Amino acid sequence: MGYQAQGPVIPPQSNLDDRETLVSEHKHKGKTYRQFTAVFNVVNSIIGSGIIGLPYSMKQAGFPLGILLLFGVSYVTDFSLVLLIKGGALSGTDTYQSLVNKTFGFPGYLLLSVLQFFYPFIAMISYNIITGDTLSKVFQRIPGVDPENLLVGRHFIIMLSTAAFTLPLSLYRDIAKLGKISFLSTVLTTLILGIVMARVVSLGPYIPKTEDAWVFAKPNAIQALGVMSFGDLFENYCRNDDLVTFGRFCYGVTVILTYPIECFVTREVIANVFFGGNLSLVFHIIVTVVIITVAMLTSLLIDCLGKVLELNGVLCAAPLIFIIPSACYLKLSEEPRTHSDKIMSCIMLPVGVMVMVAGLVMAIANPQDCSHGQEMFYCFADNLSLTNISVSHLQLTTQLSVLNSSTFQ
């Protein structure tokens, strides 16, 4: 048979249009889904576990100054991101690591990588500790469970949560797949805030007022900058409060669901520094298991990370937010010194150094008190729950006044 030339087969126009429409819709849906997951991953990472510790930082700084510091840190963080984008445009780079490498060479890149690794890694350790402390209180409230049972102790809970939840979730290679659990974590955070607000209304009249609650500023304001991302608000509630017990359970689940995002960052740093940014499936599993195992063992050995987390804030967060973005922009930019961005960068850089030095000195001279796991004095009023509506207001007020005076004598 001889070859007979044939023209190209053109599908009917209607079928072609349908195919293009389907492909276009598929791409659009995929892009929308990734944007959806990215939003909730960011929300989960920033708010999921951090918002619960804000009251502690407000206490350290003084409530009015704490509010100002919160807005100040938010503005500086936003401005730092703008500087990173502008620095990337000036250097022709598109990542934080490549920007620092282009600006300060390999030593700068290595320093940034160390900071980027330890900041989320220490957060992973703190999440394990919070999970163990929080969920142990929840399981001990189950009727018939012995509080001394090892199966409801913090060590067993940390190991169980690691093996059953955080390790499997952390093995995902695509962070977009964490979007659904980040959404769930955000929902649980909303429930937590609702429980806290409910207890503000129900317990507020019975809790003795703090004398210096409305002091504008306190000496520990510098330390507050380093601790604005930790502190367990649920330590202020009694263990026999069922509503708070449910809140503790939600908080424990939220922390577990936030953990994989921090692990993703630490693994990404390892991949970029040692493996050229790409991990094979085998090395992906090995690196993930090693990171999570080290974090778990550390959290089993240490039950109070207040001082470590404070040092993490002043030694890691301050350079990442204040110092490095400003230094990169000042070195790359050819704008005049009177340019607004350069003026702001010249302010941020020394302020970041000051926060580091002052925070380090204060952390050593005035270490944080580790009192987690201890019941507040108002929880021992003849073993009565403050949420028991059958107890009269006068009886509770009298009992708390006696306890308050005897506690501080």
Side-chain angles (χ1 to χ4, degrees), residues 13-32:
Q13 185 65 32
S14 59
N15 293 342
L16 183 62
D17 292 340
D18 291 342
R19 184 180 305 173
E20 290 180 348
T21 302
L22 289 173
V23 172
S24 176
E25 289 180 354
H26 177 73
K27 290 182 178 179
H28 177 71
K29 289 180 180 179
K31 182 178 180 181
T32 303

Side-chain angles (χ1 to χ4, degrees), residues 232-295:
D232 190 351
L233 181 64
F234 284 113
E235 292 294 330
N236 297 318
Y237 299 103
C238 304
R239 295 193 182 187
N240 59 353
D241 189 331
D242 292 333
L243 180 61
V244 172
T245 298
F246 176 70
R248 288 192 176 106
F249 174 77
C250 293
Y251 182 41
V253 174
T254 297
V255 170
I256 290 175
L257 298 181
T258 307
Y259 185 103
I261 296 179
E262 306 295 344
C263 182
F264 184 92
V265 177
T266 59
R267 185 177 59 231
E268 192 74 8
V269 173
I270 295 295
N272 290 334
V273 174
F274 297 102
F275 298 93
N278 295 314
L279 286 174
S280 65
L281 179 59
V282 174
F283 279 105
H284 172 84
I285 296 174
I286 292 175
V287 171
T288 303
V289 171
V290 169
I291 291 174
I292 290 182
T293 301
V294 173

